[in-house]
Amino acid sequence: MNNRRSFIKQLGAVAGAAALAPEVLAFEPQKKLWFEISLAEWSLHKTIFNEKKLTNLDFPVVARKEFGIGIVEYVNQMFKDKAKDTAYLNELLMRCKDNDIKNHLIMIDGEGGLAETDDATRNKAVDNHKKWVECAKYLGCKTIRVNSFGRGTAEEVAKAAVDGLGKLGEFAAPVGINVIVENHGGFSSDGKWLSGVMKQVNMKNVGTLPDFGNFCIKRSTGGEWGGSCTEEYDRYLGVKELMPFAKGVSAKTNDFDANGNEAKMDYAKLLKIVKDAGFRGIVGIEYEGNVTSEYDGIKATKKLLERVGASV
């Protein structure tokens, strides 16, 4: 009893002090960010693919409970045979509702190049993507991310990209879905090339997803992936060129220094470019490093975005 009275007396003394000097107990409110933070599922691709510790159905739950993130970006590879499976999609939606999750976009891979110069091949790719437009609509997403891959000269592939993206954009427009292209290897990692394609497409629901890290335009083995990067586009120029068409931003990270900064990217410079472009939308965490675990890498990226974003 005496201990309880002593505690109440101490509490009263603190409260009294706060009344005389409110700053004693005052906490500086966290500065509201000018963008929202989402989590890209690719950040957990090793945990899902290699370690088999999570499934796509677990992803929105983990986003909320492990990282405190309420917006998610799916990768179609994680549920590639479920685009039309309403029972599966309903289960996913239920988990999203239970965890107060907003579905933002689906990243589409493996459905063919929308910039293939062969008409039949390109049109088949357009058709392959349509089910994902419908899936995105069902899940309440606003956007699908696609690739502008194709074989040919820069000019030939650009012409094909305008056609392929335009056709898919026309299909997606009536249901309110955006079609956005990421700088994702090959010609698409050239900011001038991709922004030029966007100007030619000239559709409100077709845009870009600037990725801070994907600016390799030539590799030792050729093609979009594989081997070491032999030529890289200026990432800061590239982001600046893509931002006028952006309907999302991908905050790529790989490694961090002792101060929690991305080891090879100037995040303050990148986020300033994004902000100066007038962007006030969703910035997605996409951790892709090998040194730090996926869970720790996601947390480190979130802290980096919050810290730098509040100061830009």
Side-chain angles (χ1 to χ4, degrees), residues 74-89:
Y74 298 100
V75 176
N76 75 324
Q77 297 177 56
M78 312 301 188
F79 61 122
K80 61 184 179 181
D81 59 340
K82 304 295 186 182
K84 297 183 178 182
D85 187 336
T86 54
Y88 178 91
L89 299 179

Side-chain angles (χ1 to χ4, degrees), residues 18-254:
L20 294 173
E23 67 274 12
V24 172
L25 294 181
F27 293 93
E28 183 179 350
Q30 183 177 7
K31 184 177 179 181
K32 183 175 175 62
L33 293 176
W34 45 273
F35 58 88
E36 294 182 278
I37 295 176
S38 63
L39 178 61
E41 190 171 19
W42 190 253
S43 301
L44 292 164
H45 73 278
K46 295 174 186 174
T47 306
I48 295 173
F49 276 149
N50 302 341
E51 301 172 14
K52 309 293 185 184
K53 292 181 179 179
L54 293 176
T55 69
N56 185 67
L57 290 173
D58 300 320
F59 171 55
V61 182
V62 169
R64 172 63 73 188
K65 293 187 176 180
E66 291 289 339
F67 309 112
I69 296 174
I71 307 174
V72 296
E73 305 177 11
Y74 298 100
V75 176
N76 75 324
Q77 297 177 56
M78 312 301 188
F79 61 122
K80 61 184 179 181
D81 59 340
K82 304 295 186 182
K84 297 183 178 182
D85 187 336
T86 54
Y88 178 91
L89 299 179
N90 286 339
E91 173 68 20
L92 183 58
L93 283 170
M94 183 181 72
R95 296 192 187 199
C96 291
K97 182 179 179 180
D98 289 346
N99 290 276
D100 190 23
I101 290 291
K102 174 183 176 181
N103 291 330
H104 171 39
L105 66 82
I106 307 175
M107 296 187 179
I108 313 301
D109 297 303
E111 295 292 1
L114 292 170
E116 290 288 359
T117 50
D118 177 74
D119 291 348
T121 304
R122 183 176 65 257
N123 288 334
K124 186 176 188 302
V126 171
D127 287 340
N128 289 345
H129 281 77
K130 289 178 179 179
K131 62 180 176 290
W132 292 108
V133 170
E134 294 166 344
C135 180
K137 180 67 175 179
Y138 195 90
L139 290 175
C141 297
K142 295 294 185 183
T143 304
I144 64 168
R145 187 278 280 147
V146 302
N147 295 302
S148 57
F149 296 153
R151 288 161 288 187
T153 66
E155 293 75 18
E156 291 169 342
V157 175
K159 182 180 178 181
V162 172
D163 178 76
L165 292 170
K167 287 176 178 175
L168 187 58
E170 288 174 0
F171 176 82
V175 292
I177 297 296
N178 297 315
V179 175
I180 62 176
V181 183
E182 181 181 356
N183 48 303
H184 208 205
F187 295 126
S188 73
S189 289
D190 182 318
K192 184 178 181 180
W193 183 91
L194 186 52
S195 62
V197 168
M198 289 298 113
K199 290 173 185 175
Q200 292 181 70
V201 174
N202 193 28
M203 294 177 66
K204 289 184 178 180
N205 71 316
V206 178
T208 60
L209 179 67
D211 184 299
F212 291 168
N214 289 346
F215 283 103
C216 182
I217 53 178
K218 285 186 181 179
R219 292 186 174 275
S220 57
T221 58
E224 288 82 15
W225 310 113
S228 59
C229 184
T230 58
E231 185 179 347
E232 192 169 53
Y233 197 80
D234 184 318
R235 80 178 73 251
Y236 307 101
L237 174 60
V239 171
K240 185 175 182 179
E241 290 170 330
L242 297 179
M243 280 311 303
F245 314 97
K247 297 182 182 298
V249 171
S250 184
K252 176 69 60 61
T253 53
N254 289 286

